[in-house]
Amino acid sequence: MLRNLMIAAAALALAGCAGEKVLEGPDAPLDRLPDGLCYADTLVPHLRTELKYAGCDNFVGRPIRGYEGKRAILGRPAAEALARAARELAKLGYGLLVWDAYRPTSAMRDFYDWSKTADDAMKAQFYPNLTKRQIYAQRYIGTMSEHSMCIAVDVTLYRLDTGREVDMGGRHDLLDASSALDSPLVTPQQRANRRLLHDAMAAAGMRGYDKEWWHYFLPGEGPFTLWGFPVHDRMKPALR
């Protein structure tokens, strides 16, 4: 019971919706997407997806618990907001590349379990100036995330004409001061590229996180559900 209350409190704080109810969804594999959820690629034009936690290119260095597929899952309102941003960016020659969307609660527990180990194999690439304790203390990672509520994405830009990623001055999940939206540690052009993404996402109704130029979520009223079912690519569409 205490654990559930702690998770709910963390989720409410992240979503900016104090006083709203947080529900817990199933954590077993599903044959059909829950009502209100969708595969983002069914709504967002030109979307590319590379779920970093389904592979080894992440701060843990291995596939994360709960990632068994390659398609990004979002709540329909968040996917529709992402689609609005994508349509406007396409007019400028850009597409969206999603690195993470729905994240099972089992993944958050996996991150926390990893933080208690001596494994620092990915430190130089992902958190060169932080200890694992500081990663949590400085809120680069929390015990819960908007991702588990299907309202958040980690995203970047790519050029529609070449397919090449836009230079943002740092990789996904570089847990460092240089990853702040307006960090002076990157070039003016890299900051401008981050701002281009930010402005398109903000115009579509999504809110950023100033420590991580790639993270955006859709604020709302709730109630919010913390989902735990594994990510996989074979679920039937939601009934509504």
Side-chain angles (χ1 to χ4, degrees):
M1 180 64 175
L2 178 59
R3 175 181 172 276
N4 292 346
L5 291 173
M6 291 174 66
I7 288 176
L12 291 170
L14 284 165
C17 53
E20 292 293 345
K21 185 177 181 182
V22 175
L23 309 174
E24 288 193 86
D27 58 6
L30 301 178
D31 294 327
R32 183 182 296 277
L33 285 165
D35 289 348
L37 306 189
C38 66
Y39 288 115
D41 56 24
T42 63
L43 292 183
V44 183
H46 312 294
L47 187 70
R48 288 171 48 189
T49 306
E50 183 183 349
L51 298 184
K52 292 294 188 178
Y53 301 135
C56 298
D57 186 19
N58 58 63
F59 62 88
V60 179
R62 57 166 171 77
I64 302 303
R65 196 179 307 149
Y67 283 84
E68 302 171 8
K70 298 181 179 180
R71 297 178 73 186
I73 297 168
L74 284 172
R76 184 167 288 273
E80 290 171 347
L82 199 64
R84 290 193 294 272
R87 286 192 290 269
E88 293 305 309
L89 285 163
K91 298 175 184 178
L92 303 175
Y94 297 98
L96 291 173
L97 168 60
V98 167
W99 286 319
D100 195 31
Y102 161 62
R103 183 185 305 166
T105 52
S106 59
M108 302 306 296
R109 292 193 295 271
D110 200 3
F111 292 160
Y112 188 74
D113 291 344
W114 162 83
S115 77
K116 299 301 182 181
T117 72
D119 178 10
D120 266 330
M122 307 303 287
K123 180 177 175 62
Q125 297 180 59
F126 287 93
Y127 52 105
N129 300 308
L130 297 176
T131 65
K132 288 182 176 180
R133 177 174 293 185
Q134 288 171 326
I135 288 173
Y136 277 86
Q138 296 185 27
R139 296 186 64 80
Y140 286 102
I141 309 173
T143 55
M144 193 44 59
S145 171
E146 298 106 338
H147 285 281
S148 299
M149 294 180 259
C150 294
I151 61 173
V153 289
D154 292 348
V155 65
T156 191
L157 299 173
Y158 74 93
R159 292 287 317 183
L160 289 175
D161 54 355
T162 65
R164 295 182 62 181
E165 291 182 31
V166 173
D167 182 6
M168 296 293 197
R171 65 187 304 159
H172 175 249
D173 269 358
L174 175 58
L175 309 179
D176 188 75
S178 63
S179 292
L181 176 63
D182 290 316
S183 172
L185 301 175
V186 300
T187 69
Q189 184 59 60
Q190 290 164 342
R191 286 197 300 275
N193 293 341
R194 294 179 183 188
R195 272 287 160 186
L196 175 63
L197 173 62
H198 173 275
D199 292 349
M201 297 293 279
M206 302 197 81
R207 185 182 301 170
Y209 180 46
D210 60 1
K211 284 180 175 285
E212 299 176 349
W213 60 260
W214 56 82
H215 178 84
Y216 290 88
F217 71 98
L218 185 68
E221 293 299 322
F224 294 92
T225 301
L226 296 172
W227 296 103
F229 63 89
V231 174
H232 70 82
D233 301 339
R234 302 174 303 281
M235 287 177 279
K236 298 174 184 177
L239 294 175
R240 63 177 188 274

